[in-house]
Amino acid sequence: HAEFVVLLITLIGGFYLLDGKIERQACRTDRLYEMFCDLQKEMKDELVTMHKEQYQFMKENAKANL
C-alpha cells in the first residue's frame, strides 16, 4: 500500500508542477501578444503621421508651383 501512496503523491505533484509551468507559459504568451499589439499600434500611428507629413509637403509644393 505504501507504493500506491508514493505513486499517487508523485502523480499529483507532477500534475501541479506541470500546471504551474503551463500557467507561466500562458502569462508569457499574453505579454508577447500585448507587446505585438503595442508595436502594431505604434507602426500604424507612425504611418498615419508620415502620410500627413507627405500630404502637407505635397500641398506646400503645389502652392509654391502656382
Side-chain angles (χ1 to χ4, degrees):
H1 294 293
E3 294 89 6
F4 176 73
V5 172
V6 169
L7 181 62
L8 185 63
I9 290 172
T10 303
L11 289 173
I12 292 173
F15 172 76
Y16 282 111
L17 180 69
L18 287 175
D19 186 53
K21 287 185 177 186
I22 290 170
E23 286 296 320
R24 286 192 303 274
Q25 181 64 37
C27 289
R28 285 193 296 266
T29 302
D30 291 346
R31 181 63 189 132
L32 283 173
Y33 181 71
E34 289 173 9
M35 291 170 63
F36 173 76
C37 290
D38 291 342
L39 179 63
Q40 291 296 314
K41 184 181 180 302
E42 288 174 14
M43 289 174 57
K44 180 189 144 256
D45 292 344
E46 288 179 18
L47 188 61
V48 167
T49 302
M50 286 174 44
H51 280 287
K52 285 181 183 178
E53 290 172 356
Q54 182 182 14
Y55 178 73
Q56 186 67 27
F57 178 77
M58 289 170 48
K59 195 171 157 182
E60 290 172 0
N61 280 345
K63 286 181 183 177
N65 290 334
L66 291 177

